[in-house]
Structures are given as C-alpha cells and as structure tokens.
Amino acid sequence: MRTQVAIIGAGPSGLLLGQLLYKAGIDTVIIERQSPDYVLGRIRAGVLEQVTVDLLDEVGVSERMLQEGLVHGGFEMLFQGRRHRIDMHSLTGGKHVMVYGQTEVTRDLMDARRAAGLPSVYNAANVSVHDFDGSQPAVRYETDGPHGKQQHRLQCDFIAGCDGFHGVCRASVPASAITEYEKVYPFGWLGVLADVPPVSHELIYANTERGFALCSMRSATRSRYYVQCELNDKVERWSDDAFWAELRSRLDPEAREHLVTGPSLEKSIAPLRSFVAEPMRFGRLFLAGDAAHIVPPTGAKGLNLAATDVKFLSAAFIDHYRDRSAAGIDGYSERCLRRVWRAARFSWWLTSLMHRFPDSAGFGQKVQEAELDYLVHSEVASRSLAENYVGLPLNFGSGR
Ligand code: APR
Ligand code: PHB
C-alpha cells in the first residue's frame, strides 16, 4: 500500500490533520492502535480557542459545534472564599472561547473522515515507523485477518506522528537526536462527569485551603468537575458522595447552595505534567500534538496546541506538494515550538498559581495569595490572563 502522508494516531491531531490534507487534495492513511469506541471513550478538556474553532470551520466540521457549543466571554477565579470574574470579552476586545468537549470534536472529525470515504485502519497492532531519515519512509503494522495476524507495509512520502504521549513515533527517534524537557507536578486531578446542570453558567477556577477545584461543563445539563488530589490517590477510594462532599467544601457559599449532584458517568484521576520534546521534525517524521508536548490541563491548552501544530504541518505539506518548496517543512519545528513554549509557560503558571503545593505552606502560599489579589484587581494583569486564556493569534510575534 502507498500514500502521501501516513498519519499515526486517530486522536484530534491525526484526524484534524487528515481533514486539512484532504481539503488540499493530499492523500493520507490513518493508522490507529485502538478501536473507534475506545478513542471516543476518553474524556478530556473542553475549551476551544477561536483559532481552533476557525480550523474546524475551515475543514467543514463546525456545524454541531456551532449549534451545541457554549460561547463563554468570561470565567471566575475563586480564592479566600470569594469569586472574581475575569471578563475575557471586554479585556481582549471582544474575544471569547467555545466550550465543547474534545470527545465531541473527535466524533465530528471521525464522522467527516468516514463520510469522505478516507482510509483509516483501527485496531492496528505492533505499529512501527521506518526509514524516515531517507527519502522513502514506511510504516509497518498488523491487523487481525480471517487466518490470524496479517502483516502490512505502508510506503509513504512523510510520516505524521500524531500518536500521543505514549506513542511509537517519538520513541523511534534516536535519543541523541531529541531533547526532552519535563516537569511533573506533585498532585493529580480527580475528575467527574455527571448529567447535572452546571453550578454556574461560567467556569470557576478555585484556589482553596483544601486544594484546587474546577467547575466546568459540557452542556446546560452535563457538568465536568475536578478536585486536586494526591498523586498516588486511587479512583476506587472515591465514592460519588465523597467526591461531591469534597467539591462542595472547596466552593463559595453561593455555589455550595447551587451545586446539583448526581451519579457520575465517568470518574478518573489524571497526573499533571509539563513536557516538551525538541525538535518536532526528524527527516521525514513529524511529531504533532501530545506526541511532542504535554501541558497540565489548567487552562485547557492541550487540544488547542494540537490543532495549531497540525495547521502548521498541513501548511508545510501543501508548500511541498503544491509549490515544490521546502520552506514549511524546514520551518515546521521552530514555528510550532514557539507557540508550544508560550502555552507551556501559561499552563505552568496557572497551575502554579491555583494549586496547593506540599512544600510551600508558608512564604510560597502568601506570595500566591498576593498574586491572585493583584491579578483580579489590576486590569493589566487580568488582561494578560485573558489574552492567554482566549489564545494568542496563530502567528503571534512572528510578524506574519
Ligand atoms: N500506533 C497507532 N496509534 C497509536 C499508537 C501507536 N503505537 N500509540 C498511540 N496511538 C493513538 C492513541 O490510541 C490515540 O488515539 O494515538 C492517538 C493519540 O491521540 P491523543 O492522545 O488524543 O493525542 P492528540 O491527538 O495529539 O490530541 C491532543 O488530546 O491528550 C489530549 O490534552 C491533549 O487535548 C490534547 C489532545
Ligand atoms: C474541562 O472542561 O474538562 C476543562 C475545562 C477547563 C480546563 C480544564 C478542563 O482548564
């Protein structure tokens, strides 16, 4: 089998890249290790920057999002028992974010790929990438056939590594060719999804004595809540009642009164990590999304970064095939990394500001309180937060 771009991974990065290349007339095959149901079972963040909304629109996958997504012009910061609204809309000259779950983005992209009749291989086993330092890379994988395992070889011009943090692509690069930067935080997030109306019509980020909490949502009838928990905590230790009691203890009196509880549809614990791999290109292998970088979920930048990576990657392939130019390919890594580090910085900063750290009870905590106080009372500081939260423009700072 042969294609122009072999895409490894059918998460949001791989699927959106597939759609961008399809619109440009470039052939792709997506190879995914899991089943479609498994991919759709993962619950992740749900705040889309305008840049991401525009990209979904550009590839014709925005209809349901525009109907069902919730436009938010502000969010709230809760500390010392009081809520303070960050008016994103007025602070950024009219910008906002779209609250629409990553699971739904993935479903919409999957449906569009299927409707266009584009090839995807799910349940692919033992995926491996080869010869990307030469001119003829290839992907090998196995599928279940009627007579046992079937071996496949996909020849291609380029490989797009969209296979997430634990994927095979980054792991296939020689260690000497890659530099990894990592920060692991000393806590996790315990998250619950439930069919209950959100406690407030906007998101609440809370810094409390008992730790961070976040009130988010998927719709007017479905809520997503998180509480900071110990790194080695086990989800089995948390009954629904225990979760609701803990969340309630971290809210202000008004929110406590309005909180509606109910059975959890999903409950899980996620560790928090900042990670960046440099560079993002190795010959004809390109990393995009979580395969190249992870941000902690505070601020919900993960999916948005994945979307802009694949926008830059599709532009690079379009340069190559349409204009016979290597400029996009040669500039891909640097172009992405600039944006990646800005989001890594913001996510790290918001995480540091909002969580309780085991080793910073005294001075560290006082400084955190002073910064929160400054943040909500200084228009300049609030504007900086709002500008990063709604997302910086695609080519911010590059003059392009
Ligand atoms: N072969 C094929 N597919 C693989 C392999 C492999 N060896 N390893 C992993 N995959 C698949 C995973 O099963 C998954 O479906 O790659 C996909 C990667 O998807 P994501 O982890 O969702 O990563 P990405 O598409 O880059 O999306 C980034 O997801 O993790 C969140 O916060 C992150 O919102 C961000 C977004
Ligand atoms: C979510 O809805 O899951 C969510 C929202 C905002 C965040 C993180 C997660 O900062």
Side-chain angles (χ1 to χ4, degrees):
M1 201 172 25
R2 211 202 122 69
T3 190
Q4 289 177 303
V5 180
I7 300 176
I8 316 299
S13 304
L15 289 165
L16 180 56
L17 177 63
Q19 215 57 26
L20 286 161
L21 295 180
Y22 166 61
K23 294 284 169 189
I26 297 170
D27 291 339
T28 60
V29 174
I30 295 187
I31 315 281
E32 164 62 51
R33 177 162 69 174
Q34 306 287 358
S35 68
D37 282 349
Y38 183 97
V39 171
L40 287 175
R42 291 191 289 239
I43 310 289
R44 298 240 173 97
V47 179
L48 309 184
E49 297 176 3
Q50 189 62 44
V51 167
T52 306
V53 169
D54 290 346
L55 280 173
L56 290 168
D57 204 38
E58 181 184 326
V59 298
V61 183
S62 60
E63 197 181 324
R64 200 162 65 96
M65 171 186 68
L66 294 175
Q67 269 170 19
E68 297 176 16
L70 306 168
V71 173
H72 282 205
F75 61 90
E76 292 191 292
M77 303 283 277
L78 162 58
F79 58 95
Q80 293 182 320
R82 282 192 55 209
R83 279 194 250 162
H84 305 261
R85 182 165 191 266
I86 302 293
D87 187 342
M88 283 186 290
H89 198 263
S90 70
L91 288 164
T92 61
K95 294 190 179 149
H96 50 251
V97 294
M98 174 75 83
V99 174
Y100 187 65
Q102 180 174 319
T103 311
E104 303 314 312
V105 172
T106 309
R107 191 191 310 279
D108 294 345
L109 285 164
M110 239 183 210
D111 288 351
R113 185 166 181 90
R114 199 180 305 117
L118 303 172
S120 309
V121 180
Y122 283 90
N123 300 307
N126 292 323
V127 178
S128 56
V129 293
H130 303 270
D131 305 328
F132 49 83
D133 48 354
S135 60
Q136 296 212 313
V139 180
R140 291 178 187 276
Y141 60 96
E142 291 173 10
T143 54
D144 281 331
H147 311 292
K149 291 273 176 224
Q150 258 181 290
Q151 314 278 338
H152 305 267
R153 184 170 189 277
L154 173 63
Q155 188 81 46
C156 55
D157 298 334
F158 299 104
I159 301 172
C162 300
D163 50 349
F165 184 64
H166 300 288
V168 68
C169 291
R170 194 181 71 254
S172 303
V173 173
S176 59
I178 195 163
T179 307
E180 299 182 341
Y181 300 88
E182 184 169 39
K183 180 171 177 58
V184 176
Y185 299 86
F187 40 72
W189 277 18
L190 167 65
V192 156
L193 185 72
D195 271 337
V196 291
V199 67
S200 175
H201 64 286
E202 290 183 339
L203 272 62
I204 305 173
Y205 289 83
N207 174 320
T208 82
E209 256 171 40
R210 297 182 63 87
F212 171 77
L214 170 60
C215 304
S216 183
M217 65 194 73
R218 294 290 174 268
S219 71
T221 54
R222 182 168 287 187
S223 299
R224 179 70 167 160
Y225 293 113
Y226 300 93
V227 293
Q228 174 182 348
C229 65
E230 306 254 318
L231 197 53
N232 57 2
D233 210 339
K234 295 275 170 289
V235 73
E236 304 75 46
R237 296 222 309 248
W238 286 89
S239 66
D240 285 359
D241 285 349
F243 176 83
W244 293 119
E246 188 57 43
L247 176 66
R248 181 174 275 120
S249 77
R250 300 185 190 192
L251 298 178
D252 58 291
E254 192 196 338
R256 233 174 256 161
E257 199 181 305
H258 282 103
L259 182 70
V260 182
T261 64
S264 61
L265 300 171
E266 192 261 4
K267 197 191 291 154
S268 54
I269 291 182
L272 271 71
R273 183 197 304 271
S274 294
F275 173 88
V276 181
E278 293 191 3
M280 289 170 60
R281 174 202 167 197
F282 308 89
R284 287 176 174 255
L285 171 67
F286 297 79
L287 303 180
D290 275 19
H293 41 74
I294 297 283
V295 290
T298 334
K301 291 290 171 223
L303 171 61
N304 295 295
L305 271 188
T308 47
D309 282 358
V310 299
K311 171 64 183 172
F312 293 154
L313 189 51
S314 68
F317 291 145
I318 293 167
D319 274 1
H320 170 86
Y321 287 110
R322 200 179 282 168
D323 304 333
R324 307 256 154 244
S325 159
I329 282 174
D330 291 340
Y332 170 72
S333 183
E334 199 187 322
R335 200 175 178 198
C336 286
L337 283 167
R338 211 162 161 211
R339 195 173 172 82
V340 166
W341 276 112
R342 279 195 298 257
R345 198 269 326 155
F346 176 69
S347 309
W348 158 82
W349 170 77
L350 195 55
T351 302
S352 308
L353 181 69
M354 297 308 291
H355 291 75
R356 287 290 144 133
F357 285 74
D359 57 352
S360 65
F363 185 80
Q365 199 168 311
K366 284 288 183 189
V367 167
Q368 208 184 49
E369 284 166 17
E371 183 163 7
L372 281 163
D373 184 43
Y374 169 63
L375 191 61
V376 301
H377 292 108
S378 155
E379 192 180 312
V380 175
S382 297
R383 179 167 294 137
S384 168
L385 167 60
E387 176 181 59
N388 281 281
Y389 195 92
V390 298
L392 297 168
L394 200 56
N395 291 312
F396 178 83
S398 70
R400 277 188 277 176

